[in-house]
Amino acid sequence: MLCSPGCCADKAGQEDKVESKAALDNAVSVEQDEMVPMQSPDVDPPKDDIFGSTVVPEKNPEGEDLIGDWQTKKGKYSVNRDKSGQLIFKEDRSPELILVGILKKDGDCMQAEIKDKLKEGTTYGHLRMKREGDNIRSFFRFTEDEPWDDVGYIASRQ
């Protein structure tokens, strides 16, 4: 690998040679006093997450098929991702209550501790949901020590 014209190796009449792939991966290009990291052509560019790491995002993240607006006999709710990628359940029954929770994978279901946004610090209950064909079946319980509802509610996409 040749240095750019006028560099120290050129002035000394020498050529720089890359001895290893590691040296190539750490190489920099100097252009008008600005150092710019160079990528080896056979290395995929990093996939940055919110911390700047090189973790490759999932192609089909858990719960992606739950995202949208849903209707049950009890009312309407939505499932969306927040800015950090968390799956968020929200059921707005204002002015009485606004139910929210972060859905996380639990076996073949997604589950959340549900809180009332209008009453900070209180847990309203616990929600479990999973897809059944084009619908979602959801189960609810008020406390962790009581059993899940046997039948649940069927929600259809709005």
Side-chain angles (χ1 to χ4, degrees):
M1 177 168 123
L2 292 175
C3 291
S4 61
C7 81
C8 61
D10 188 35
K11 288 179 184 173
Q14 301 175 0
E15 290 184 6
D16 279 346
K17 292 185 179 175
V18 175
E19 299 293 326
S20 69
K21 182 175 178 346
L24 181 60
D25 289 343
N26 294 322
V28 293
S29 171
V30 179
E31 187 175 317
Q32 297 185 5
D33 297 334
E34 182 180 329
M35 293 181 67
V36 180
M38 295 179 65
Q39 291 266 315
S40 175
D42 61 338
V43 176
D44 291 334
K47 307 286 192 234
D48 292 336
D49 66 8
I50 57 176
F51 299 109
S53 72
T54 57
V55 175
V56 178
E58 295 179 50
K59 292 190 186 217
N60 294 315
E62 289 294 339
E64 199 68 21
D65 57 344
L66 301 176
I67 292 177
D69 296 321
W70 300 89
Q71 175 75 47
T72 70
K73 291 179 186 177
K74 287 283 197 181
K76 295 179 183 181
Y77 65 85
S78 64
V79 176
N80 291 293
R81 290 211 183 271
D82 66 8
K83 291 179 184 177
S84 65
Q86 295 182 107
L87 203 58
I88 306 296
F89 168 88
K90 181 177 181 184
E91 184 175 347
D92 190 341
R93 295 188 197 171
S94 54
E96 292 84 28
L97 47 115
I98 299 173
L99 303 175
V100 294
I102 299 170
L103 291 161
K104 296 180 181 175
K105 182 82 170 152
D106 184 17
D108 64 344
C109 298
M110 298 298 281
Q111 192 168 314
E113 178 179 8
I114 303 298
K115 298 190 177 266
D116 182 353
K117 260 180 107 171
L118 301 178
K119 296 177 185 170
E120 281 191 48
T122 59
T123 297
Y124 184 81
H126 301 269
L127 176 71
R128 178 179 273 184
M129 55 177 36
K130 67 179 180 175
R131 285 302 296 258
E132 281 190 5
D134 292 336
N135 300 315
I136 293 177
R137 182 174 298 270
S138 58
F139 305 90
F140 187 81
R141 62 184 182 188
F142 285 102
T143 63
E144 283 189 88
D145 54 334
E146 66 182 272
W148 289 104
D149 171 21
D150 290 340
V151 179
Y153 289 97
I154 296 291
S156 53
R157 193 178 293 275
Q158 294 298 291

